[in-house]
Amino acid sequence: MTTDTGNTTHRSTRAASAQRRRPELAAFLRSRRARVTPADVGMPPGLRRRTPGLRREEVAQLSGVGVTWYTWLEQGRPINASPQVLDAVARTLRLDAPEREHLYRLAEVAFAPDRESLTRRIGPEVQGILDALNPLLAVVYNARYDVLATNAAYRDLFVVPEALGIGLPNVLWTLFTLPAHACPVVWRERELPLMVATLRSAYGRHVGEPAWEDYIRALSAASPWFAELWASGEVVLPGPRVKTFRHPAVGEMRMTSQSLSIDGMPECRIVVYTPEDEASREKVELLRERRERLWPPAHEDEEAEDVIRRWNTENPAP
């Protein structure tokens, strides 16, 4: 009895949601159609045109769908639309990526991002935010844990080399391919499975994309432990955590991580690490002082990562 009541409530909620979406879909399509002129799509303007943009039959013709079907779609009627047809309509109406996703949501069709969709660059504004957060450690990750940008405080603690075949530094690749004794994460048996589960929560939006499939396949081959964790199917969302890191110069530090979303960069986040206690704060300050003593590099072509590696070689952990 309880199950039947729950199912009835669920169906009622979905029906109410659909009724709200259909007027929104109709208004959205009309507004997008009105802004596309015949000249935009290579058609003559014609005479006695009462609408500022394309006519419905013109959108249908250019999209390769029936006039009646498109009319019903624009009227918000309860008809089924395939991704292929919605893509054709989106191309005709010259929708950008956010508008295309909005169309899919309103039409209640599962949205799939463009293949290879993975943010790989940031602008100077975001870098400026990272630098302004110093002395707090700050980094920008995309959904695959590629490192897109860091500030000086982050680089004091972590050196993330470019991952083979990716072309970007990647945190997961580094953590799973380092020897256990060299891993900067102290409780790796607890923390790394959570990171893999976070990766899987993002992977659901990218299933079948070559960039993601190649990455999972290559990291599984490089790390049997990653392959085992990936096969477990665990999923968690990103969230604040207290993590313990180690550095050969100053020892262990407890840090709280907090993720912040970035407008205009889907699936990317700024992660800020804050010292959890006074001892950790003092160690972060010691790392900053070390960097300032080492800078500028001994050689003009020496990068920041080379400076840190040199210091670690000259000052091994006790």
Side-chain angles (χ1 to χ4, degrees):
M1 181 65 70
T2 302
T3 301
D4 291 342
T5 302
N7 290 339
T8 301
T9 302
H10 179 66
R11 287 194 297 269
S12 177
T13 301
R14 288 196 59 186
S17 175
Q19 289 178 353
R20 289 193 298 269
R21 290 173 185 269
R22 288 166 193 158
E24 290 292 331
L25 174 62
F28 178 68
L29 287 173
R30 287 195 298 268
S31 68
R32 301 306 90 177
R33 176 166 59 86
R35 74 177 184 180
V36 181
T37 68
D40 290 334
V41 293
M43 298 178 64
L47 301 175
R48 298 180 181 178
R49 184 172 290 273
R50 295 179 296 174
T51 60
L54 297 177
R55 300 186 178 101
R56 285 175 176 170
E57 56 268 25
E58 291 169 340
V59 174
Q61 178 185 353
L62 292 168
S63 304
V65 300
V67 175
T68 299
W69 185 91
Y70 178 77
T71 299
W72 287 357
L73 179 68
E74 194 174 290
Q75 289 175 344
R77 296 197 188 189
I79 61 174
N80 294 324
S82 68
Q84 294 78 13
V85 170
L86 288 182
D87 280 344
V89 172
R91 285 192 296 271
T92 298
L93 298 180
R94 306 167 78 92
L95 302 186
D96 60 20
E99 290 172 330
R100 176 174 171 267
E101 181 174 357
H102 187 59
L103 172 64
Y104 268 68
R105 305 298 185 203
L106 293 177
E108 297 187 281
V109 174
F111 175 73
D114 294 333
R115 297 177 74 83
E116 309 294 343
S117 58
L118 194 70
T119 302
R120 302 175 71 90
R121 297 182 181 85
I122 69 159
E125 299 84 1
V126 176
Q127 183 64 60
I129 293 172
L130 299 184
D131 294 338
L133 287 169
N134 206 60
L136 298 181
L137 289 70
V139 59
V140 175
Y141 297 135
N142 62 18
R144 202 176 61 184
Y145 280 102
D146 293 334
V147 178
L148 305 186
T150 61
N151 66 3
Y154 181 93
R155 295 189 295 272
D156 287 341
L157 180 56
F158 302 110
V159 176
V160 184
E162 182 176 302
L164 180 66
I166 295 177
L168 284 171
N170 184 271
V171 168
L172 278 180
W173 192 285
T174 301
L175 294 179
F176 276 99
T177 56
L178 278 174
H181 70 274
C183 181
V185 177
V186 173
W187 307 110
R188 63 194 302 266
E189 294 80 7
R190 179 183 65 193
E191 298 297 338
L192 268 62
L194 287 172
M195 295 179 71
V196 175
T198 303
L199 177 74
R200 182 174 281 280
S201 72
Y203 171 75
R205 297 184 290 273
H206 300 275
V207 174
E209 294 182 22
W212 277 78
E213 300 297 344
D214 291 347
Y215 170 76
I216 298 300
R217 189 180 305 111
L219 186 49
S220 296
S223 170
W225 187 29
F226 173 84
E228 177 185 346
L229 292 173
W230 186 256
S232 72
E234 296 294 326
V235 177
V236 300
L237 295 176
R241 293 188 56 78
V242 177
K243 302 182 181 182
T244 303
F245 301 105
R246 67 165 64 89
H247 190 279
V250 297
E252 294 185 3
M253 291 166 283
R254 284 169 51 82
M255 312 288 283
T256 299
S257 67
Q258 179 66 58
S259 297
L260 310 170
S261 62
I262 309 172
D263 288 343
M265 296 181 65
E267 298 188 72
C268 289
R269 61 194 187 277
I270 296 175
V271 178
V272 183
Y273 295 91
T274 306
E276 178 70 10
D277 49 51
E278 187 58 32
S280 298
R281 192 178 305 279
E282 290 175 356
K283 291 176 181 180
V284 169
E285 179 62 21
L286 286 174
L287 290 176
R288 183 188 65 79
E289 292 174 357
R290 181 201 68 163
R291 167 170 40 88
E292 293 177 350
R293 290 198 308 270
L294 288 169
W295 204 260
H299 306 287
E300 291 184 359
D301 60 348
E302 191 173 19
E303 299 290 343
E305 291 181 3
D306 297 324
V307 173
I308 295 172
R309 291 192 185 95
R310 173 168 57 83
W311 195 93
N312 289 338
T313 300
E314 296 171 357
N315 300 269

